Amino acid sequence: MRGERSDMSEDEDGGRGGAGGGDGAGDGGTDTPVPFSDQVLENVLENVLQFLSSPQDRNAASLVCLPWYRAEAQTRRELFIGNCYAVSPRRATERFRRIRAVVLKGKPRFADFNLVPNNWGAHFQPWVSAMAAAYPWLEKLCLKRMSVADSDLSLLAHSFPNFKELSLICCEGFSTAGLAVIAEKCRHLRVLDLIEDYLEGEEDETVDWVSRFPETTTSLESLGFDCVGSAVNFEALEALVARSPALRRLRVNHHVSVEQLCRLMARAPQLTHLGTGSFGSAAAPLLQGGGCSVVDLARTFAAFKSLVCLSGFRDVAPHCLPAIYPVCANLTSLNFSFANITAEELKPVIRHCHNLQNFWVLDAVRDEGLQAVAATCKDLRELRVFPLDPTEDSEGFVSNVGLVAISQGCRKLRSILYFCQQMTNAAVVTMSKNCQDLVVFRLCIMGRRRPDHRTGEPMDEGFGAIVKNCKKLRRLAISGLLTDKAFAYIGKYGKLVRTLSVAFAGDTDLGLRYVLEGCTQLQKLEIRDSPFGDSALLSGLHRYYNMRFVWMSSCKLSLRGCKEVAQRLPRLVVEVIRDRDEDDDDEGVQKLYMYRSLAGSRNDAPSFVEIL
Amino acid sequence: MSTDTRKSSTESEVSGLDYEETELKLGLPGGSRIGGSEPERKRGFAETVDLSLGGETCATDLGDRSTDSSDGPVSGAGRPPAAKAQVVGWPPVRSFRKNALKSCTYVKVAVDGAPYLRKVDLEMYGGYQQLLTALEDMFSCFTVRNKRLVDPVNGTEYVPTYEDKDGDWMLVGDVPWKMFVASCKRLRLMKSSEAVDLAPRTPQGSTNTK
C-alpha cells in the first residue's frame, strides 16, 4: 500500500486514506446509531469491499464518503505503514480494527550505509504494544529497518496465538534469545525469515533457538537465517527439517558446511528455495574423507525437482559448483553475490540457466562473466552486480562492456543494480534503448564524480537517455560526474519516478529544483554530498506532503532554511540529525530527514536529533 | 580497506602512509614500528573482537573517523591503508555484505603450547614486518628477533608458519605479501625445533605437523 496519493488536503468529509492510514476529520466515529437501511448498505459495502486487496484501491474507496470509509476500515486486512513515524500506533489501530497482516518500515534507507547514528529510533516496541491489544488475531508481520528488542519478540510471541509469519529485514536490536521465544511460543509458525539483520550478542553465549521449535510436526514453510552470525545446533536443525513436511524455503547461514547441507537436503527434496550456507567444506578440500563427494552432491541436487531459487555460496569451493548443474535449468533466481568466482567458474553454471529471471553476482566474474549471462539468460528481469572490493579505488572488474552486453542479451530486463569504477555515456544510452522495460535503474560508479572515461564528459547524457527512453522507470540511482543538466533531464522526463537517489552530483540549486518541480510522482528522495541549498529546498514546498520522505545529508542547507520549511508545513516533521562531534551552534545542517506525519513530533527522539 | 593489486613496490606511495616496503627484509626488531601503525594494530585487534557484533562496531568505527566528503589525505593514524580518504557509507554497500566478503582475510593464529587461539585480519597489515610486530603485540611474551618470535624467558624460538589454500604448511615470508594474504588460511607459531622440515615453497618437503 503506497497510499501516497492522498493530498493531505483540508477536506472534511470522509476522511482520507493516506500513507499509513491517514485519518480524516470524520474519525470513523460510531457514536450516533446508524439507521437500519444504512446498516444494510454498510453490510453490502463490506461484503464487496473485502475483495479489494490493493491498498491504493482501498485508499481511494475510503475517500468516497463516510460509510465507505467505515466499511473499508472494517474490511481492511493488511496494513502497510511505509514510515513508522507517519502515524501513531494508536491512531492506526483505532481506525483499522481487523488487521491480520502488518508491514512496518522504519529507518530511512541511508541508515544501511551508516549515515544514521545508532539509537535514532524506529522502535518496534510502541507498535507491538498497540497491536497486542488491538489485533489478537494478527497473523503476519513484516518489519523493515526497525529496531526490535528481544522483549518485543517475546510480547509478540505471547500476544498473537494465531501468529504465522514473521519477516525481519535489515532490523537490529534482537538476539537469538528473541528467536528462541518465537520458535517456542508461535506454535503455528509458517514463516521465519531473517534477511540481513544485525543480531546482538553474537560473540557471547547464544541461545539454541532451533531446538525450541515444537517437537511435533511443524507447519514451517519458510525458514531463513543466513544473516545469523552464530552457528546453530545442526542436529536440531536436521531434526526440525525432518519434521517439517511443509517446508519449501530454507536458507541456512555460512556455518553450515556443504556436507551438512547434503544431509539437510536429503530430508527436504521438496524445497523450492535453498540458501546453501557456505557451500564450502569444513575440511578442505572437499573430496578428502568424511565429506560427500561432488558426485553425491550432484545426485542430491538432481532429486530437487521443484527448486527454483538458489542462494548462499558464502565460501564456495569452486569445484563444488558442478553439483548444481542438474537444477540450473529450472532456476528462476540465483544469488551468487557472495561467491568469489571467476568468469571461468561461472560460465559452465550459467550456461544451463536458461530460465533465470533474477541474478545477483559479484563483479569478480568480470565483463566476460556478464557476457556469458547475456548469452544465455534471455529471460532475465533483474540483475545485481555487487563489488567484491567495495572501495573507491579498487580495481574495476566490470565496465561499460559488461553493461552493453547485458543490454543486448537481456532485453526483458526490468531492474538493474550495477557497481563499477567507471562508465561511459554510450553504454548507458545503449541500455536505455535496448531495455525499454526498465523500471529500476541503479548505476553506482564507485569513483566519486567520475566522468565518462572515454570522452571525459559528465554522465548527464547517459542518465538523460535512461529517463527519456525508459518510459516505465520508477526508481533511479545516479552517480558519476553530473551537472545540473542531468537533473533537468530527470525533471523533464522522469514523470513516473518515485524513488531517486543522488550522491555527489549537481552544480547548483537548480539541479534540485528541476527534480522537485518536474518529478510529479516522486515519493522518496535521498541526496548526499550535493551542493543544494535552502532555496532549492524551499522550491519543493508544494511537493513534500505528497512524499514519504526527503533525506539530505552533507548538502548546503542551513538551519534557517529548514526552519522555514518546518514553519510553512506544520504536518511535516523536520529532523536535523547531528553527528557526535558536530558543533551545536553550527548554522549548517549536516543531515536533514523530513517526512509527512499525522503524529506530529515524535517523543522518542534522541538528544542528537532536533525536530524543528 | 582497499586491496591494492598493483605491484607491491608502489604500495607505500599509494598508501601515502609511508609503510615499510612489503618486500621481506631482515630488520631490527622494533625499528620498523611506526607511531602511526600502533593504534592501527590495536584497532585491528579490536575489530577482530568486535566484528561479530553484526558489523556495526566496525562500521561506526569508520563512521567516527570522517564525515568529511572531501578528498583530503588521511590525517589520522589508525586508518587502514587507503589511497584516498574513505567516506562514510560510500560506496553504498551494506555492512552485512562488506563483512561477509571481508571475513575471508581473517585467519586464526595458534601458538604451539598455548591453549588459546587469536584471530588477525591480514588485510590490516601492509607487510610481513607489521604482521610480525602485531603478533608480538598480541602474544606479548614474545619479542621479534631475526624474523622469529622469541620467548625471552626460556629462549624458545617460534617460527611463524601458515597453512595455504592447498593445505600445505609454509614458512611465513617466502612469497610476496599479497600472495600470502590471498593464500593464507591460518597461522601457526611453531617451535623452531619442529620447523626444521619445513622447506620454503617445496610442497613435498612440508610437513603437516598438526
Side-chain angles (χ1 to χ4, degrees):
Chain A
M1 164 185 137
R2 310 288 153 86
E4 285 87 351
R5 294 161 71 199
S6 76
D7 310 62
M8 307 275 285
S9 67
E10 307 303 69
D11 219 328
E12 280 285 301
D13 260 14
R16 338 181 232 282
D23 227 75
D27 207 22
T30 49
D31 293 308
T32 49
V34 181
F36 179 69
S37 55
D38 286 352
Q39 188 70 66
V40 170
L41 179 65
E42 282 208 28
N43 288 344
V44 169
L45 213 45
E46 283 185 21
N47 277 307
V48 170
L49 285 179
Q50 69 185 353
F51 292 102
L52 270 187
S53 53
S54 139
Q56 290 92 329
D57 291 343
R58 285 193 155 271
N59 289 348
S62 73
L63 290 173
V64 170
C65 61
L66 201 46
W68 280 59
Y69 175 91
R70 283 202 297 252
E72 193 283 311
Q74 292 288 68
T75 54
R76 192 180 293 221
R77 293 287 171 265
E78 291 181 18
L79 186 59
F80 176 96
I81 313 277
N83 174 2
C84 64
Y85 287 123
V87 64
S88 70
R90 193 179 60 86
R91 188 161 185 167
T93 55
E94 276 178 2
R95 176 176 169 182
F96 301 105
R97 309 254 181 179
R98 301 212 194 132
I99 296 293
R100 298 281 165 94
V102 174
V103 176
L104 184 59
K105 297 189 179 182
K107 300 177 205 173
R109 197 180 73 99
F110 274 3
D112 290 352
F113 316 123
N114 306 114
L115 290 178
V116 176
N118 289 341
N119 302 317
W120 171 82
H123 301 289
F124 182 43
Q125 192 272 330
W127 285 92
V128 67
S129 301
M131 292 193 296
Y135 302 143
W137 301 116
L138 191 72
E139 294 180 4
K140 300 187 197 178
L141 192 57
C142 176
L143 303 180
K144 189 167 185 181
R145 293 196 191 94
M146 296 290 296
S147 186
V148 180
D150 284 341
S151 49
D152 300 333
L153 293 178
S154 182
L155 184 58
L156 191 164
H158 287 98
S159 307
F160 308 120
N162 216 25
F163 195 71
K164 295 192 168 82
E165 300 186 16
L166 180 63
S167 300
L168 299 176
I169 306 169
C170 297
C171 295
E172 43 83 12
F174 63 97
S175 75
T176 47
L179 296 180
V181 185
I182 297 285
E184 188 174 342
K185 299 292 181 194
C186 301
R187 311 295 287 186
H188 303 286
L189 198 66
R190 286 198 219 136
V191 172
L192 180 58
D193 277 340
L194 306 171
I195 299 167
E196 295 202 37
D197 305 304
Y198 291 117
L199 273 73
E200 298 287 309
E202 299 254 61
E203 265 299 284
D204 307 330
E205 278 287 307
T206 50
V207 176
D208 180 5
W209 55 279
V210 173
S211 300
R212 303 282 255 267
F213 281 95
E215 308 231 332
T216 55
T217 306
T218 77
S219 5
L220 271 182
E221 294 172 12
S222 176
L223 178 63
F225 59 93
D226 44 1
C227 61
V228 174
S230 51
V232 300
N233 177 339
F234 181 74
E235 281 68 36
L237 178 64
E238 193 178 2
L240 177 65
V241 171
R243 66 178 189 278
S244 302
L247 197 66
R248 295 287 175 278
R249 307 196 298 264
L250 178 65
R251 295 184 172 102
V252 301
N253 67 12
H254 66 284
H255 289 282
V256 174
S257 69
V258 71
E259 291 92 355
Q260 290 175 325
L261 186 73
C262 245
R263 284 163 59 180
L264 291 176
M265 287 171 68
R267 304 282 194 171
Q270 75 282 7
L271 290 178
T272 57
H273 296 60
L274 178 63
T276 61
S278 82
F279 215 68
S281 186
L286 176 63
L287 290 172
Q288 288 183 3
C292 56
S293 69
V294 180
V295 174
D296 292 336
L297 195 56
R299 207 173 288 138
T300 310
F301 270 101
F304 275 64
K305 304 298 178 201
S306 324
L307 198 66
V308 292
C309 173
L310 265 186
S311 60
F313 304 103
R314 290 278 296 269
D315 302 309
V316 63
H319 59 265
C320 291
L321 278 180
I324 72 171
Y325 293 169
V327 293
C328 285
N330 288 338
L331 287 182
T332 54
S333 177
L334 178 58
N335 183 349
F336 268 168
S337 68
F338 293 100
N340 186 355
I341 56 175
T342 63
E344 287 316 305
E345 288 156 351
L346 175 68
K347 281 184 199 172
V349 175
I350 208 73
R351 183 181 307 145
H352 299 273
C353 300
H354 309 281
N355 289 313
L356 212 56
Q357 293 183 12
N358 282 29
F359 186 50
W360 292 19
V361 71
L362 282 178
D363 62 357
V365 300
R366 298 181 180 262
D367 289 328
E368 200 187 332
L370 295 180
Q371 285 166 332
V373 174
T376 312
C377 307
K378 297 303 179 189
D379 214 17
L380 200 67
R381 311 294 163 101
E382 177 178 318
L383 174 68
R384 296 196 194 189
V385 182
F386 290 97
L388 175 64
D389 183 3
T391 54
E392 279 187 85
D393 33 47
S394 59
E395 185 186 336
F397 290 124
V398 296
S399 71
N400 45 293
V401 172
L403 193 69
V404 167
I406 290 291
S407 78
Q408 286 169 344
C410 309
R411 295 303 186 98
K412 297 189 195 168
L413 201 65
R414 288 192 202 149
S415 170
I416 183 164
L417 170 63
Y418 197 88
F419 280 85
C420 56
Q421 280 298 338
Q422 53 191 14
M423 187 44 64
T424 64
N425 280 305
V428 179
V429 170
T430 301
M431 174 155 269
S432 77
K433 292 183 177 160
N434 288 340
C435 302
Q436 297 273 312
D437 285 343
L438 276 176
V439 173
V440 175
F441 184 79
R442 296 156 73 192
L443 177 63
C444 182
I445 302 170
M446 292 192 278
R448 284 173 273 160
R449 302 189 187 88
R450 288 241 172 100
D452 177 325
H453 72 84
R454 213 181 279 151
T455 65
E457 299 203 335
M459 293 299 300
D460 299 340
E461 295 306 314
F463 285 104
I466 289 288
V467 284
K468 195 165 163 193
N469 298 332
C470 303
K471 309 227 182 338
K472 304 179 190 175
L473 197 75
R474 291 184 160 196
R475 183 169 179 187
L476 181 64
I478 62 180
S479 59
L481 181 65
L482 293 162
T483 71
D484 288 344
K485 199 164 174 207
F487 294 93
Y489 285 136
I490 295 171
K492 184 169 179 189
Y493 297 108
K495 295 305 180 191
L496 293 185
V497 172
R498 300 170 58 93
T499 307
L500 180 63
S501 305
V502 178
F504 306 100
D507 296 324
T508 72
D509 279 2
L510 270 182
L512 182 53
R513 290 183 93 107
Y514 287 138
V515 166
L516 290 171
E517 281 160 17
C519 298
T520 46
Q521 294 294 312
L522 196 61
Q523 298 298 309
K524 301 185 242 183
L525 180 60
E526 41 187 37
I527 303 176
R528 63 166 295 176
D529 295 276
S530 300
F532 305 135
D534 294 344
S535 94
L537 189 69
L538 288 163
S539 74
L541 287 174
H542 64 292
R543 295 269 332 128
Y544 299 137
Y545 276 162
N546 292 329
M547 294 174 67
R548 186 180 297 173
F549 71 82
V550 174
W551 168 283
M552 288 178 69
S553 59
S554 304
C555 296
K556 294 204 164 146
L557 301 172
S558 79
L559 267 179
R560 198 193 53 78
C562 297
K563 277 184 175 156
E564 189 171 342
V565 174
Q567 272 160 20
R568 305 263 289 265
L569 298 175
R571 298 279 218 177
L572 201 69
V573 174
V574 179
E575 292 193 14
V576 172
I577 303 169
R578 291 200 159 82
D579 283 323
R580 245 177 293 142
D581 40 16
E582 255 181 80
D583 195 358
D584 269 347
D585 294 330
D586 192 2
E587 254 298 302
V589 165
Q590 279 307 306
K591 292 179 182 168
L592 170 73
Y593 180 52
M594 53 192 207
Y595 48 91
R596 66 185 170 182
S597 175
L598 293 167
S601 300
R602 58 191 176 106
N603 55 12
D604 64 355
S607 56
F608 54 81
V609 169
E610 185 188 347
I611 298 181
L612 301 179
Chain B
M1 264 180 73
S2 69
T3 47
D4 194 336
T5 53
R6 291 190 282 268
K7 289 203 287 278
S8 55
S9 57
T10 61
E11 229 166 34
S12 53
E13 294 162 5
V14 166
S15 69
L17 281 169
D18 217 15
Y19 285 127
E20 293 284 278
E21 289 164 11
T22 59
E23 303 299 341
L24 195 60
K25 246 195 206 171
L26 293 178
L28 289 173
S32 63
R33 209 178 307 189
I34 311 154
S37 64
E38 204 152 26
E40 186 191 311
R41 276 207 307 282
K42 288 199 160 43
R43 181 165 289 114
F45 179 57
E47 279 197 30
T48 63
V49 170
D50 291 345
L51 178 68
S52 16
L53 287 178
E56 208 148 87
T57 318
C58 296
T60 46
D61 256 351
L62 284 172
D64 285 349
R65 282 192 207 124
S66 167
T67 52
D68 183 3
S69 58
S70 76
D71 297 353
V74 177
S75 54
R79 189 184 284 261
K84 223 172 173 181
Q86 299 287 346
V87 167
V88 176
W90 188 263
V93 172
R94 288 190 190 140
S95 305
F96 175 77
R97 173 167 294 281
K98 279 187 186 166
N99 293 334
L101 292 171
K102 193 174 179 251
S103 61
C104 47
T105 55
Y106 273 81
V107 295
K108 289 183 186 169
V109 185
V111 177
D112 279 356
Y116 52 85
L117 292 178
R118 291 292 175 87
K119 262 183 158 180
V120 293
D121 179 3
L122 295 177
E123 271 192 336
M124 295 297 300
Y125 310 109
Y128 287 112
Q129 211 60 50
Q130 284 173 33
L131 176 62
L132 285 179
T133 33
L135 292 175
E136 183 188 1
D137 208 48
M138 207 174 286
F139 301 99
S140 50
C141 46
F142 297 138
T143 52
V144 177
R145 230 177 263 166
N146 290 339
K147 262 198 303 174
R148 285 153 190 248
L149 289 147
V150 179
D151 183 349
V153 172
N154 51 29
T156 318
E157 270 193 354
Y158 290 82
V159 171
T161 65
Y162 72 100
E163 185 184 11
D164 72 1
K165 278 194 163 135
D166 299 324
D168 299 320
W169 284 90
M170 320 269 283
L171 288 175
V172 166
D174 286 339
V175 302
W177 173 253
K178 280 286 176 188
M179 195 183 294
F180 166 71
V181 171
S183 60
C184 172
K185 286 282 147 207
R186 53 185 156 152
L187 284 167
R188 182 174 154 208
L189 300 183
M190 201 181 281
K191 288 192 181 141
S192 56
S193 49
E194 289 184 29
V196 286
D197 292 329
L198 277 182
R201 301 193 78 180
T202 48
Q204 62 269 25
S206 71
T207 324
N208 190 337
T209 51
K210 188 183 188 244

